Amino acid sequence: MGFPLLSLIVLTPAAGAAVLMFLRSDDAVRWTALGVTVLDLALCVAMLANFNTTTHEMQFTETRPWVPALGITYALGIDGISALFVFLTALLGSICVLASWVAIDRKVKEFMVSLLVMQALMLGVFCALDLFLFYVFWEAMLIPMYLIIGVWGGDGRVYAAFKFFLYTLAGSLLFLIGVIVLYFHGGETFDILALTAQDLPFQVQSWLFFAFLIAFAVKVPMVPVHTWLPDAHVQAPTAGSIILAGVLLKMGAYGFLRFSLPILPEASVHYSTLMLALSALAIIYGGLLALAQDDLKKLVAYSSISHMGFVTLGIFALNLRGIEGGILQMFNHGVTTGALFLFVGLIYERTHTRSMADYGGLMKAAPVYTAFLALFILSSMALPGTNSFVGELLVLSGGFAANLAVGAAAVLGALLGAAYLLGMYRKVALGPASVNARFKIRDVNAREMAAILPLAVFVLWVGLYPKPFLDIIDASVKHLLVQVHGKESGQ
């Protein structure tokens, strides 16, 4: 197009954060932050409106020299694999500002600056076409997330933030080593597209696969490197939990799609059975842990481990239905689980408790709240007509085609999901109205509805008419499979 749309999308939140530094009024900070995130969302809508669904080629590309001596460039571009996540990041950014309007009442300016910087860095991860630039975005986003948890979190925030930082930093260091090895074995270039064209020896691929696996598995997170997630979610403010579940977890799965499969195809095929087994373990283990929780936030956090297991299962099924289902389920999970964390935050603001034992009969006190909560719970269960049904059906179809036992384990995980989600709704929304006797409960207001409605729209839109979303993904996934199976077979 000749217009630097992606740079504008990535840099708009950063520029907004700079503007916030000069504002004094908390209300001015909130409204400006909301305006910046809505503008960024509008730019992402324009990007999708002009996105060509018939090609797998990178679109809206920009390339400028950065460190010519090392071949490092400022290179941005998106394809069908990354386009939906750029949009999702911008959408959840606006919702996080709305969710923090009342919940964050101290150091408001610093919080909104951290949130906007975080959004800019996450957008950069999904747009980067230079491996070094990708690593800079990938690593730098730890800092604002650490601050969001450590400064504005709950009573155990320092421990949770430190644990989050240590786990993700350990994975990032292995990723950095992998990047350096890939640079020297891949023709001394950081160009991601050029690296996908390289034919690396299997031993090098294997070493890089496990280095990348640990880095990406921490982010997903996969069992057994998942233990930072419940602590981070429980202690993070509502916006932090939405960002964690909605975007940050997707970056691990995105790493598999952008690096492991196209650059390391032989290793990806060779170790796919291991990855399917780890995915099945996450699905069942996460579901069992969620089933045992009384804390609402912990329940949704452990459900994320289970749901992201479906994503990695779809990716390493290494077939069209599995990968398309995995990518769509990443988008769906961002919408649905982001909404569930929003709902936990809204009720926590009213009651200051997350224990399900303290609730009951919420439907009578807040009928609109409980009606929308039911929609998102049914979505998380993958009920037909909701977004997660389409993604989960494709994942299960691809999973059964790849490995019958893993597919059966995934079905068991889906049944566990229904058990803990319906159990949660029964305890919170139904039964005698004990909640109203303890707390003064009000239903959702206009600001909260503004945050809820966009997510509800996507639950029903993807569930009832998924074609536009699958069209965006399709060409890029077909090309990815050619890269994986073509290289792996020596073609």
Side-chain angles (χ1 to χ4, degrees), residues 261-297:
L261 267 59
I263 299 176
L264 315 170
E266 290 179 59
S268 296
V269 172
H270 185 78
Y271 297 112
S272 61
T273 303
L274 169 66
M275 296 303 296
L276 290 174
L278 288 173
S279 300
L281 175 62
I283 290 169
I284 294 174
Y285 184 65
L288 289 171
L289 287 173
L291 198 58
Q293 301 307 313
D294 177 62
D295 185 298
L296 282 169
K297 248 190 174 182

Side-chain angles (χ1 to χ4, degrees), residues 51 53 84 328 461-462 465-474:
F51 187 83
T53 60
L84 285 179
L328 186 62
W461 185 0
V462 179
Y465 187 56
K467 184 178 182 299
F469 301 88
L470 291 171
D471 284 347
I472 290 171
I473 299 167
D474 188 59

